Every structure is written in C-alpha cells, then in structure tokens.
Amino acid sequence: MQYLRTKYRLPIKIIPEIVGSNISDKLISKHISKKEKHPKYKIFLLYDADVKEVLHRLRQIKNAKLLASNPCVEFWFLLHYKNQTAYITENECIRQLSNRNGNTYKKGFMDEMLQNRLEEKQMDACRRAERTVLYDNPSTNIYEFINELESVKKNK
C-alpha cells in the first residue's frame, strides 16, 4: 500500500488485520483512535470474497466500505493484464500473474514490474472490473477505491 500512498500523496493508513469472520463494526471502531476521525475520513475493508460465511458477515458492516474480490485480490491484479470473465481459482490467478510478470509474482508482494503494470493499466482494469457482478466469481469492486482516490486527488 506504500505504492498507493506515494502515487496519490494522500494520508492513507493501512491496518493489516486478519480477523476472518470475527470482523464487526465494534472491532473496526476499536482500531480507530478518536483523533483519526475526521469528516472526510473513510474506512475501506479489503477482503477476498470466496468464503460465503465471511462475506455474509462483512456485508453486515455499516461503518465501512467493503472492497471484495472473488476469488482473491490477485484477480484485481490480473485485470491489469487481461479481461477475465470466466470462473477462476485463486491458484490460477496467481499462476497467470506469475506467467505475465516474468515468473516473479509472489502472494502478498508487489515488485516493481507489477507496480508499473498497475500504474500503466489501471484505467483498463477499472473498466474491466466495472463489468463484473460483485461477489460472483470472478468479480471485484476495488475500482471504487481507485475512483475515490482519483476524485480526492483531483479535488485537492
């Protein structure tokens, strides 16, 4: 996420928490200090949407915007390379990313080659993602976060 902070020059704070199905409005509020609350402050949750029980719980959260990718966040990355409309597994997303990224993609790590691709093809990926049906496989709404960042940057 350092990539997004640098690109947009915005105070983006990332709190990496893996809480699975324990996520709730109460847990989110616990992680946000009073001084961080600002009228323009927004909370986004980024989750893989391939586990129905967790997705159901996430959809109940009212004080955050859910950014979901099915089967995984790597699907969002893959949309920077191609239009993927057929069902795909997490392993297949990772395999295809590795093949397209010079066999260097590793889950949870964004190398310079991938960062460059994300920068160059961001709008293509957004257009492709907008045509997906959220929560179905494959789908993502990470483009909504990108649109939000673009809007804030434009109005700065």
Side-chain angles (χ1 to χ4, degrees):
M1 290 301 162
Q2 180 61 37
Y3 160 75
L4 292 175
R5 270 190 225 105
T6 302
K7 177 179 178 174
Y8 289 99
R9 301 181 198 277
L10 294 171
I12 299 170
K13 181 179 180 184
I14 308 299
I15 304 172
E17 286 288 323
I18 300 172
V19 294
S21 62
N22 293 328
I23 190 77
S24 66
D25 284 313
K26 186 176 178 179
L27 182 64
I28 292 167
S29 295
K30 183 178 132 183
H31 284 285
I32 301 167
S33 72
K34 289 184 181 7
K35 72 176 186 172
E36 290 174 326
K37 292 190 177 171
H38 182 277
K40 293 184 179 180
Y41 189 83
K42 294 184 180 182
I43 301 168
F44 294 88
L45 302 174
L46 178 62
Y47 271 83
D48 292 350
D50 58 337
V51 179
K52 288 182 181 181
E53 298 77 27
V54 176
L55 180 59
H56 176 73
R57 184 158 187 128
L58 289 167
R59 292 178 74 179
Q60 305 306 310
I61 294 172
K62 302 293 181 224
N63 65 359
K65 171 72 176 162
L66 175 59
L67 302 173
S69 292
N70 189 350
C72 54
V73 72
E74 283 80 11
F75 171 68
W76 167 247
F77 300 156
L78 190 59
L79 289 177
H80 290 74
Y81 291 91
K82 66 180 261 188
N83 190 27
Q84 175 70 38
T85 58
Y87 180 93
I88 191 166
T89 64
E90 178 178 3
N91 288 339
E92 182 61 17
C93 283
I94 291 169
R95 187 189 71 71
Q96 287 191 34
L97 278 174
S98 291
N99 288 345
R100 286 174 167 76
N101 202 46
N103 286 321
T104 61
Y105 181 76
K106 302 230 183 318
K107 189 163 182 67
F109 177 74
M110 198 177 299
D111 66 10
E112 189 175 331
M113 185 180 219
L114 181 56
Q115 285 181 24
N116 289 340
R117 185 64 181 209
L118 296 179
E119 174 72 27
E120 293 168 10
K121 298 296 184 175
Q122 177 174 285
M123 298 324 308
D124 290 341
C126 286
R127 280 189 294 278
R128 291 169 179 155
E130 286 173 354
R131 289 179 273 186
T132 65
V133 177
L134 190 56
Y135 310 127
D136 285 356
N137 180 319
S139 68
T140 185
N141 67 335
I142 292 177
Y143 69 89
E144 292 177 12
F145 182 61
I146 299 301
N147 291 344
E148 182 77 24
L149 293 173
E150 289 287 335
S151 175
V152 171
K153 182 180 175 182
K154 194 182 306 181
N155 295 323
K156 252 178 128 177

